[in-house]
Amino acid sequence: MPSYGANANVNITVLLENTGDTAHDIMLEGSIIDGNNNIISFAHMQNTGTISLAAHATVNATMMWNTAKYAPAAYNIVIKVFNLESGSLLAQGSTVFTIRPDVLISDVSPLINPQFTNVKKTEAVLIRGNIVNWSNIDADLSTVCTVKDTTGVVIFNASTNLNVPASEFSYTFNIGNFDYTFTQSGEYAVETVSYTHLTLPTKRIV
């Protein structure tokens, strides 16, 4: 049974065979159905929504769908083939796939306040982080933040443990704060990295 992680593209190949003597202009409908027999989403044709199928011809069609943040479970894909002119159902088929538990963090961005200051000024610097979270389960993360001066010397370092709910797509959190007198002009590098805990089923930072 095919299995996919979070935010994964699913390519669905449909073999269409016209065994009759009449050509058809057809349209495909792809429904994604959960374990409670509810339609949760629809797959879409890769290039066009209609296909011309000649008599006694065979054609491959491709439909696409993305797992996004749908919950880990088994799902059913039902493909229906309709006559474009009459709207009548010509054929249908189905297959089963699973979405596996997956922690997927696509971006970790530091948020600095203030962003600009003057040389020789002492500032209370507040650092927060923002995570773009595609995980389909709650994510236990450890985030490490390092601030370096213009010569590469570390002037601040902090780590934070987080539990990011799967329901949160954009998640902002506090990292720490420090007082600092800026004696050098230039750019101060802020590096933020998040790690998943080893007990998670799937571990990815992309």
Side-chain angles (χ1 to χ4, degrees), residues 50-131:
T50 62
I51 298 172
S52 295
L53 187 58
H56 303 287
T58 300
V59 173
N60 280 326
T62 301
M63 305 189 77
M64 298 187 67
W65 184 67
N66 186 277
T67 61
K69 290 170 67 70
Y70 287 102
Y75 294 85
N76 198 21
I77 301 175
V78 176
I79 306 297
K80 294 182 178 181
V81 183
F82 295 94
N83 183 288
L84 186 62
E85 182 177 356
S86 67
S88 61
L89 178 64
L90 300 176
Q92 74 175 50
S94 65
T95 189
V96 177
F97 70 98
T98 62
I99 297 177
R100 61 180 176 268
D102 196 5
V103 171
L104 176 58
I105 306 300
S106 63
D107 187 47
V108 183
S109 302
L111 306 172
I112 314 299
N113 185 34
Q115 294 184 340
F116 303 96
T117 189
N118 297 317
V119 175
K120 297 183 180 180
K121 186 174 183 180
T122 300
E123 296 276 12
V125 181
L126 173 64
I127 303 179
R128 297 183 299 161
N130 179 264
I131 286 175

Side-chain angles (χ1 to χ4, degrees), residues 124-206:
V125 181
L126 173 64
I127 303 179
R128 297 183 299 161
N130 179 264
I131 286 175
V132 177
N133 178 33
W134 282 102
S135 306
N136 58 26
I137 57 174
D138 293 351
D140 289 322
L141 304 175
S142 295
T143 299
V144 177
C145 178
T146 302
V147 181
K148 298 179 181 179
D149 68 13
T150 58
T151 65
V153 175
V154 175
I155 61 174
F156 175 77
N157 188 73
S159 61
T160 306
N161 293 327
L162 306 171
N163 179 266
V164 183
S167 59
E168 297 282 350
F169 179 73
S170 180
Y171 185 81
T172 300
F173 58 97
N174 290 326
I175 294 176
N177 59 278
F178 64 101
D179 294 331
Y180 187 76
T181 301
F182 291 85
T183 58
Q184 304 161 348
S185 62
E187 294 185 351
Y188 288 68
V190 181
E191 301 172 352
T192 306
V193 180
S194 286
Y195 302 90
T196 59
H197 291 184
L198 297 179
T199 55
L200 293 172
T202 305
K203 298 163 286 297
R204 287 194 287 160
I205 304 290
V206 298

